[in-house]
Amino acid sequence: MITSTTMDKLPPKDTDISKTQLVLYLIPIIGFFPSLWTLYQRQGSREQLAISRLSITLAFIWMLGYLLLTTGSATDFLTLRLLILNSFLTSGYFLVSIWLIFRVIQGKSSRLPGFSNLAERVWRKY
């Protein structure tokens, strides 16, 4: 039998669904697409929209850096150094995404200094 005290201890279903969606948005590379869809539809909570903007910004920054470093390493000058920087950039993107996923699961803030502000300015109209 469920009493009022046990009902207070049960987490609401909407919170679980929201956390699952937020985690989906933050998955490296793959999370870009549901984040883009959420911004395109302009539906979701403020937190969902903020994390979608952050996810898209991180993915664009990673992709731009990846392409520039890969293109630069195609030349014979500093090839190895640029490829090493490319691997650091990719590793950093994945680690930051995983760290943000853990913060969402723990219920903590998912803002990144600098990047969250940039995401809000760039994707403000969405």
Side-chain angles (χ1 to χ4, degrees):
M1 181 172 168
I2 298 177
T3 62
S4 64
T5 56
T6 56
M7 286 295 286
D8 295 336
K9 294 179 184 178
L10 295 175
K13 295 282 185 195
D14 293 338
T15 305
D16 293 340
I17 293 171
S18 177
K19 276 189 180 182
T20 304
Q21 287 177 339
L22 295 178
V23 167
L24 177 68
Y25 297 153
L26 290 171
I27 295 173
I29 302 169
I30 297 169
F32 171 81
F33 300 105
S35 295
L36 193 62
W37 184 254
T38 298
L39 285 183
Y40 176 74
Q41 292 293 317
R42 295 182 183 168
Q43 294 178 350
S45 67
R46 294 178 87 177
E47 188 177 19
Q48 287 174 329
L49 293 174
I51 288 184
S52 293
R53 290 182 191 113
L54 180 61
S55 174
I56 290 170
T57 303
L58 288 175
F60 272 138
I61 290 171
W62 170 75
M63 182 59 74
L64 181 65
Y66 183 84
L67 290 174
L68 289 175
L69 288 170
T70 301
T71 303
S73 69
T75 64
D76 291 335
F77 186 69
L78 301 174
T79 301
L80 183 60
R81 290 180 184 172
L82 291 175
L83 288 174
I84 291 171
L85 279 174
N86 198 352
S87 67
F88 284 154
L89 178 70
T90 301
S91 298
Y93 170 58
F94 275 72
L95 288 173
V96 166
S97 295
I98 291 169
W99 178 69
L100 285 171
I101 288 171
F102 282 127
R103 291 196 48 99
V104 165
I105 290 171
Q106 294 171 352
K108 295 181 180 178
S109 173
S110 59
R111 293 191 54 84
L112 284 176
F115 289 102
S116 293
N117 293 335
L118 175 66
E120 293 296 326
R121 280 186 289 152
V122 171
W123 306 107
R124 184 179 318 159
K125 60 184 173 182
Y126 297 105

